Amino acid sequence: MESGYVTTPFGRRPMSLGMLASQQLAETIEPGMKRSKWKLFRAICEARPALGVTDRALTVLDALLTFYPDDEISEEKGLIVFPSNAQLSLRARGMTPATLRRHLAVLVEAGLILRKDSPNGKRYARRDRAGAIGEAFGFSVAPLLARAVEIESLAAQAVADRELLRVTRERLTVCRRDISKLIAAALEEGVSGNWEGISAMFRALLARIPRVATAEDLAPLLDEMGLLRAEIVNMLERRIKAKKIDANESQLEHHKQNSNPNSHYELEPSFETKQGEKAAADNDPNAGPSDERRLKQQKPSGGMSNRAGGAADPGAGPGLKSFPLGLVLQACPSILDYGPGGNIGNWRDLMSAAVVVRSMLGVSPSAYEEACSGMGPENAATVIACILERGGHINSPGGYLRDLTRRTERGEFAIGPMLMALVRTNGPTARHAS
């Protein structure tokens, strides 16, 4: 196309600023630029909504491109095609002349082709003596070459948007199926919860799905359904965990962790000893099982002191008082490794170490909080230290701790027998607090 050349339509067809802009754009083709006409046509088909053309208009463009003599569009090979209406109609699947003119106008308005009309409106080409085309009148495909990069970019974006819509629809379908079946399972299993309200919320989300939707329309609905599904799954998982805990506790009721009939590590009725009697029992190397049974039969007293922390802890659980820290560390030397700097010098250090050990043993935060409430924080930390010392004999530390907490609340558990059994096991050479 000649630089600076402007062509106007033949006859009564008006000139528009869009046509002028398309002609100016066609002059910006980079030298040496070329494109496969059929790859470019496929990109136009992909980007059709963004380009604002109809499928029938693309049928006409397809027919026009068949008149281009080469597979690649380039300036060197010319950019004008000049088929007659009759030939163009045949290659456009028999489209009527009136329909053909209408869709040609759509292609011109979309900036995909240009008209280069002759003085009499006919389409033809003048050839030189060698048969080469000197000048041609018809339709120019120069805009296709000038906009090739833009068209390819629009096509890639259209493909990405279509893929995103497909993935979003699939995820939404799976999410809808999951929610529907999870609610049905919850109702069938009798899981407690406001399932009627959840079902109503689910139906409201379904009603908001448009019949013809874009990825942008579905994305917020998918997020809301994902949150609803996550909440339902959490409710069902809590029910499963509760069943497991109940099963573990039931197992603990029938089978103690230590199956040795001679062991003194079994749970015993609640008791407290006087400080003098406890110290005598701890310091007497000849004290045996009979002495321990005698101590257990003593009536609980409220005057036990704490070697490391002073008086008995007022926050201890019902019927329990804290034992001297030195005794706890003598019975449970393994807890020392988890104290600040590998040392435990006070109750605060022991409770900090217990939190670390609790996580290591797989005891849930809720189980440990219940133990602190039921036994008192010092005694809960002491029990964690004992469980650590006997870890190889305890299958479920979390379930065991919950069982001890419930027994404490019923007045059926005392820490004393656990500590004394561990003191005898570890012997007089066990580590002490520094």
Side-chain angles (χ1 to χ4, degrees):
M1 188 172 186
E2 298 178 10
S3 178
Y5 181 81
V6 174
T7 178
T8 57
F10 172 78
R12 290 179 295 179
R13 291 192 298 271
M15 181 67 176
S16 67
L17 292 179
M19 293 180 186
L20 182 61
S22 296
Q23 292 181 28
Q24 292 176 342
L25 179 64
E27 296 176 3
T28 62
I29 299 175
E30 297 180 3
M33 188 173 183
K34 56 181 66 177
R35 285 290 190 279
S36 167
K37 64 180 181 182
W38 298 122
K39 288 183 179 179
L40 191 57
F41 177 73
R42 179 167 182 171
I44 293 171
C45 293
E46 294 283 5
R48 181 177 64 81
L51 294 172
V53 293
T54 63
D55 53 347
R56 299 295 300 278
L58 291 183
T59 300
V60 175
L61 180 61
D62 181 26
L64 278 175
L65 290 177
T66 62
F67 290 98
Y68 193 83
D70 295 291
D71 287 336
E72 285 189 337
I73 302 175
S74 65
E75 283 191 292
E76 291 77 9
K77 297 173 182 177
L79 298 172
I80 305 294
V81 291
F82 41 90
S84 66
N85 283 340
Q87 291 298 318
L88 186 58
S89 176
L90 288 175
R91 296 195 188 185
R93 280 71 172 171
M95 192 175 290
T96 62
T99 305
L100 191 65
R101 288 192 296 271
R102 186 169 67 252
H103 291 302
L104 284 170
V106 170
L107 293 173
V108 172
E109 289 295 327
L112 296 179
I113 61 173
L114 287 174
R115 291 182 186 273
K116 187 180 178 182
D117 288 341
S118 65
N120 61 1
K122 300 295 183 179
R123 303 181 200 121
Y124 58 87
R126 291 196 180 99
R127 299 178 183 271
D128 57 21
R129 292 181 178 180
I133 296 176
E135 186 176 13
F137 299 96
F139 297 103
S140 171
V141 295
L144 296 183
L145 200 57
R147 299 180 63 186
V149 175
E150 175 195 355
I151 291 170
E152 290 164 353
S153 177
L154 290 173
Q157 185 62 48
V159 172
D161 291 344
R162 186 170 65 248
E163 181 65 16
L164 177 61
L165 178 60
R166 183 188 66 80
V167 171
T168 304
R169 284 186 177 277
E170 288 178 354
R171 290 177 178 173
L172 187 63
T173 299
V174 171
C175 196
R176 291 172 59 181
R177 181 187 67 199
D178 291 346
I179 293 174
S180 177
K181 294 195 174 184
L182 288 172
I183 291 176
L187 294 175
E188 184 176 350
E189 296 289 338
V191 178
S192 60
N194 184 18
W195 298 110
E196 182 176 351
I198 292 175
S199 299
M201 187 183 304
F202 179 48
R203 289 192 296 271
L205 287 174
L206 294 178
R208 288 168 50 193
I209 300 176
R211 299 186 67 179
V212 179
T214 63
E216 290 74 14
D217 297 330
L218 297 180
L221 292 172
L222 178 60
D223 291 340
E224 292 183 48
M225 283 198 182
L227 292 174
L228 181 60
R229 177 175 59 182
E231 179 60 26
I232 295 172
V233 170
N234 286 338
M235 295 173 68
L236 297 179
E237 285 180 346
R238 286 196 293 268
R239 173 62 178 269
I240 293 172
K241 290 178 181 178
K243 284 186 175 182
K244 288 183 178 179
I245 291 172
D246 291 342
N248 289 337
E249 291 173 350
S250 176
Q251 181 180 3
L252 285 169
E253 291 288 341
H254 295 89
H255 179 73
K256 305 302 181 184
Q257 297 294 341
N258 190 341
S259 60
N260 183 0
N262 297 322
S263 172
H264 297 282
Y265 194 69
E266 304 293 341
L267 302 181
E268 308 236 5
S270 176
F271 78 102
E272 292 293 341
T273 63
K274 294 182 180 179
Q275 180 181 3
E277 293 172 337
K278 178 64 181 173
D282 290 344
N283 296 325
D284 183 5
N286 297 320
S290 60
D291 300 311
E292 184 181 337
R293 286 193 295 273
R294 179 177 58 82
L295 289 175
K296 293 177 187 176
Q297 294 169 358
Q298 297 291 332
K299 184 177 181 179
S301 64
M304 179 179 292
S305 63
N306 189 325
R307 294 178 191 170
D313 173 36
L320 292 181
K321 291 184 175 63
S322 298
F323 282 79
L325 180 61
L327 176 63
V328 174
L329 298 179
Q330 181 183 358
C332 309
S334 298
I335 195 72
L336 285 167
D337 296 332
Y338 301 93
N343 185 38
I344 295 177
N346 52 51
W347 281 106
R348 183 184 297 275
D349 293 344
L350 179 64
M351 287 186 284
S352 298
V355 172
V356 176
V357 172
R358 184 274 304 166
S359 177
M360 182 188 71
L361 293 175
V363 176
S364 66
S366 61
Y368 188 63
E369 289 173 3
E370 291 173 7
C372 289
S373 299
M375 303 177 181
E378 284 83 358
N379 285 323
T382 300
V383 171
I384 288 291
C386 293
I387 293 175
L388 174 64
E389 202 67 28
R390 298 282 294 179
H393 301 278
I394 298 175
N395 296 326
S396 175
Y400 187 50
L401 181 62
R402 288 183 186 274
D403 182 74
L404 298 185
T405 302
R406 291 190 178 90
R407 287 174 175 268
T408 300
E409 293 171 351
R410 297 196 299 266
E412 299 175 358
F413 169 66
I415 300 176
M418 298 173 66
L419 289 175
M420 286 189 290
L422 289 172
V423 166
R424 287 194 300 273
T425 299
N426 292 320
T429 59
R431 291 176 291 178
H432 294 267
S434 59

